[in-house]
Every structure is written in C-alpha cells, then in structure tokens.
Amino acid sequence: MWLKLVIGGVAGASLVGAALVLMFGLLGRPWDGRNLAERLGMPRPAIIAHRGASYLAPEETRPAFLLARELGASYLEFDIQRTQDGVLVALHDDDLSRTTNIAEIFPGRERDTVDTFTYAELQRLDAGTWFNLRHPARARSAFRDLKILRIEQILEIAESGSPRPGLYIETKAAHRYAGIERELVQLLTDRGWIQRGGAAMGARLVFQSFEPDSLARLKDLAPDVPRLLLVDEVMASEASWDGLVAQAAALGQGIGTWGARWALGPHWSKKLGGARYVATWPWYTGRAHRAGLIVHCWTVDDRWEMWMVAAGGADGIFTNRPEVARAAYGGDAPDLPRLWQRIGYP
Ligand code: G3P
Ligand code: CA
C-alpha cells in the first residue's frame, strides 16, 4: 500500500515536473520579461508611439507627437536623418514623395534623398496635406502646411509633457550618414537626455536600428543607453531566430520583431521564405528573454494583436495607435476631442 503511494507520488511529481519543464522551455517564463524591463527601468508593456500618434495625425509631425504625449505613450518613436547642411530631422522615408508636396515645390527632385536637401529647403514643404488627402475621415484643416521637425523640437515636446514620455530613436539609413550617431549622442547629452559621464536617464531613452553597425557605434558612444536591434524580413530570411537573438544580445538589450499579423499575412509569409516564423509566439519570445533581451513588436495597431503579442510574452509594442493601446492594456478610453483642443489642433 505505502509502496504504491510512494510510486504514485513520485510518478505524479515527475509528470508535473516534466510538464513544467516543457511549458517553460517552450513557452518561456512569464516573469522573465517583467524582470528584464524592471532592471532596465523600462515601462511594461511599453507603448511606443510609432512616428507619433500617426494613425490620427501626419507621421513625425508636431500634432502626432503632441497627441501621443497627451495619450500617455511610454515613448515617442522617430527616425532620424540629416540634411545636406547638417541638421538632424525626423523623417522615415528615403525621399519626400509620400509625405510632402515635393512635386509641387521642387519638381524633378521627388526621388532625391533627404540628405540632398538643406534644412531651409525642407521647411518649404508641406508635411501635412498628404494626410488629409489620403485619409479624409481623419483630416483636419490644422494639418495643412505642417513642417518637418528637427530633433530639438521633438525633445521640447517630450520635455514639456507631464508625465514626460521617453524617446525611442531610430538611426534610419545610418550607412548614408557618417558620424550621425556621434551627433545624436552629442545633442542628447547637451539637452540632458544623456548624463555626462555616460549614464542615461533610466530607460527614458532607447536607441534602435536595423543596422548592427550603427548600434555598435551607439554602444561605444553611449554605453548606458539601452539599444534594440530591429529585425526585418531580409534579416529573418538570412538568419535563424537564435542567430538574430545572439546578434541583438551582443549589441544591446532588446530585439524588435514584427507582430503576429504581419508574419501571418501572405505577403510576409512569402518574403520570409525558408525562415518563416511568427516571432511573437511565446517560445521565440522566451528564447529572447533567456538571452537577456526585451522584446518589442512592430507595428501593432489592432486590439486583438495587442492582446496576442502580450499573451506571447512581448514587453511592448510600436503602434501607430497609442489611443487603442492605452485602452487595450487596461487604461481608460481617451477623450480625443478634448485632447485635440488641448494641443491646439481642434
Ligand atoms: O522603428 C520601429 C519599426 O517600426 C521599424 O520600422 O520602418 O517604421 O521604421 P519603420
Ligand atoms: Ca522607425
């Protein structure tokens, strides 16, 4: 009798043990991401306003960042490039054809890259009207003739917020801009976002790039600022998940993967080819966590996907829709008309 009980107990305990090993091995341990974020001083889930609140306002413009700030986004996300005369500006695309009226102002230069324009030339462009034309249901007359922002203007928006959002800065097409990392670090140091001597303000500042070399330079210049390697379909088709995780771990503290929707969609599935995987499945997230990396997914705009990536263990999302994310992650629904009024874009 006793022997049977002992054998039964040992067998039961072994089964439970095996199940736990299997579960945590496959799915990752839910507390890992929480511990990593806490150690970095990073909000979790981090709501990273992708190009500002860019579903409701023209991307990387003043109202997009102001609205994101007022919505309580953890971070304002933007892409930096440099003008011909050395000004750092926020712009995503290589050229100005999608998000400005360049064809009207500088005919023939529609496909010229940003670095071939001076800052004064960029200031002649209207970076808001395209949005009204493309999204009439979200159009606002106040978006007409918005300007491309220099980085200092975004810092001012963040600095005057209460609470103050963090900055999540991408060195975009960094191979085209020799020395841009040094200029960025200098600017952020002068403005107090990086403390002289190297220490950052907790994780209120994060660097990100698709270019490992750029992250390596940032690591040298500002070792205490967290860095996240972004991963795209080309990188994913050339390397295994574990290979990407190892690369990200050598360069920084995070990995930026696509969200579930993109990986499940036919476009991406095709592009990912042999390396097709949904990086936000918990067993992938778990492996990143075990390598000491936080996981932030881009670009997650639907509530179902916000829940899905969170359930998979992701530590935050890049989103064009911080207003949706705030509600999805347990906040209240924002009073948008009041916020528009408050930031001066009624
Ligand atoms: O920067 C975060 C991620 O969304 C990268 O994509 O092309 O929007 O800068 P992109
Ligand atoms: Ca970006």
Side-chain angles (χ1 to χ4, degrees):
M1 173 70 181
W2 282 109
L3 188 63
K4 271 188 186 168
L5 275 177
V6 169
I7 291 172
V10 169
S14 307
L15 270 176
V16 171
L20 284 174
V21 167
L22 196 68
M23 193 170 85
F24 292 140
L26 281 178
L27 301 184
R29 298 177 305 180
W31 58 86
D32 279 347
R34 208 168 47 231
N35 290 345
L36 287 167
E38 208 171 282
R39 212 174 307 143
L40 286 169
M42 207 174 254
R44 186 177 190 277
I47 299 176
I48 306 156
H50 184 243
R51 310 181 200 173
S54 58
Y55 177 82
L56 293 172
E59 63 186 57
E60 317 222 25
T61 64
R62 186 173 164 75
F65 290 122
L66 281 172
L67 184 64
R69 183 191 78 186
E70 294 303 306
L71 284 164
S74 323
Y75 293 98
L76 308 182
E77 192 269 349
F78 54 95
D79 310 284
I80 63 159
Q81 301 199 56
R82 188 173 61 205
T83 63
Q84 193 189 57
D85 52 342
V87 178
L88 300 186
V89 292
L91 200 88
H92 176 269
D93 293 5
D94 286 346
D95 66 44
L96 298 139
S97 57
R98 183 177 61 89
T99 57
T100 74
N101 60 341
I102 182 116
E104 197 184 302
I105 307 296
F106 298 111
R109 296 179 69 186
E110 292 88 340
R111 294 289 165 194
D112 291 359
T113 49
V114 178
D115 55 308
T116 64
F117 290 83
T118 63
Y119 179 67
E121 284 175 328
L122 291 187
Q123 291 305 288
R124 292 179 56 196
L125 299 172
D126 172 348
T129 297
W130 71 273
F131 182 92
N132 286 350
L133 297 173
R134 190 162 312 163
H135 307 293
R138 286 171 252 153
R140 285 172 185 270
S141 57
F143 291 164
R144 272 202 301 269
D145 208 26
L146 290 172
K147 296 302 173 197
I148 290 172
L149 298 175
R150 52 193 300 160
I151 303 313
E152 292 90 330
Q153 293 173 293
I154 305 174
L155 302 189
E156 272 160 30
I157 291 172
E159 288 161 5
S160 54
S162 174
R164 181 171 163 160
L167 301 174
Y168 212 116
I169 307 178
E170 179 178 353
T171 47
K172 181 64 86 187
H175 58 277
R176 200 183 299 136
Y177 297 109
I180 197 165
E181 295 85 4
R182 183 173 294 282
E183 291 163 23
L184 175 65
V185 167
Q186 186 62 55
L187 173 62
L188 292 165
T189 305
D190 292 344
R191 294 289 294 242
W193 283 84
I194 300 174
Q195 311 273 300
R196 290 187 197 280
M201 294 165 54
R204 299 316 295 159
L205 176 63
V206 183
F207 293 138
Q208 45 156 344
S209 187
F210 284 108
E211 298 189 21
D213 289 349
S214 182
L215 284 188
R217 286 190 286 275
L218 288 165
K219 182 178 177 179
D220 282 346
L221 290 162
D224 297 325
V225 178
R227 296 165 304 279
L228 174 135
L229 179 67
L230 294 165
V231 175
D232 66 11
E233 72 275 24
V234 177
M235 293 156 83
S237 65
E238 290 171 355
S240 67
W241 175 249
D242 289 334
L244 293 168
V245 163
Q247 192 178 21
L251 291 164
Q253 295 75 18
I255 186 161
T257 69
W258 53 93
R261 168 208 274 272
W262 284 30
L264 290 170
H267 169 74
W268 268 63
S269 304
K270 192 163 162 237
K271 275 188 165 182
L272 287 169
R276 179 183 172 189
Y277 43 78
V278 181
T280 46
W281 291 149
W283 41 97
Y284 292 118
T285 321
R287 264 140 69 185
H289 284 158
R290 279 198 291 279
L293 297 174
I294 50 127
V295 178
H296 288 164
C297 306
W298 49 275
T299 302
V300 178
D301 284 349
D302 289 329
R303 217 174 251 253
W304 69 265
E305 196 183 358
M306 291 173 186
W307 288 332
M308 191 164 160
V309 299
D315 307 298
I317 53 165
F318 295 85
T319 180
N320 300 316
R321 306 204 64 181
E323 74 284 7
V324 174
R326 163 175 152 159
Y329 291 142
D332 53 351
D335 181 350
L336 284 169
R338 193 178 59 85
L339 293 184
W340 282 122
Q341 198 75 36
R342 189 150 93 197
I343 63 174
Y345 292 85

